[in-house]
Amino acid sequence: MNFGQAIEALKNGQQVARKGWNGKGIFIELQVPDTHSKMTHPYIYIDTTGLQTDNANAPKSRVPWLASQTDMLSEDWEVVE
């Protein structure tokens, strides 16, 4: 699927990832603020806590995410089950 379809999947509460990303277990998700959140608008974050890698120094965290031009123009997006 393309980036627009990936955004729609995020808005529907699904997690998405690119087949072309380096490493398995990485996905992005839309966070919608609630009454306990410091953020006031929805934002997308990348989750690498499930990253499968032999690199012990690879970051395993959740941080805000911005799409690159390559990400926006790619057709290899998929819903993470």
Side-chain angles (χ1 to χ4, degrees):
M1 70 183 168
N2 64 37
F3 188 62
Q5 293 165 317
I7 294 294
E8 287 304 315
L10 290 173
K11 289 179 180 179
N12 289 326
Q14 296 173 295
Q15 300 168 341
V16 297
R18 284 196 50 216
K19 291 178 187 176
W21 276 346
N22 246 350
K24 295 185 185 238
I26 299 171
F27 62 88
I28 60 173
E29 189 168 4
L30 180 68
Q31 178 67 45
V32 178
D34 60 21
T35 56
H36 302 287
S37 181
K38 293 181 189 268
M39 301 297 174
T40 57
H41 291 282
Y43 61 93
I44 297 172
Y45 68 91
I46 189 165
D47 187 315
T48 61
T49 59
L51 176 62
Q52 300 168 23
T53 180
D54 293 332
N55 180 355
N57 296 317
K60 294 189 176 180
S61 59
R62 293 181 189 103
V63 297
W65 180 81
L66 290 173
S68 69
Q69 289 188 34
T70 303
D71 291 325
M72 290 186 278
L73 296 172
S74 293
E75 301 276 337
D76 66 346
W77 286 95
E78 61 187 358
V79 172
V80 176
E81 301 298 329

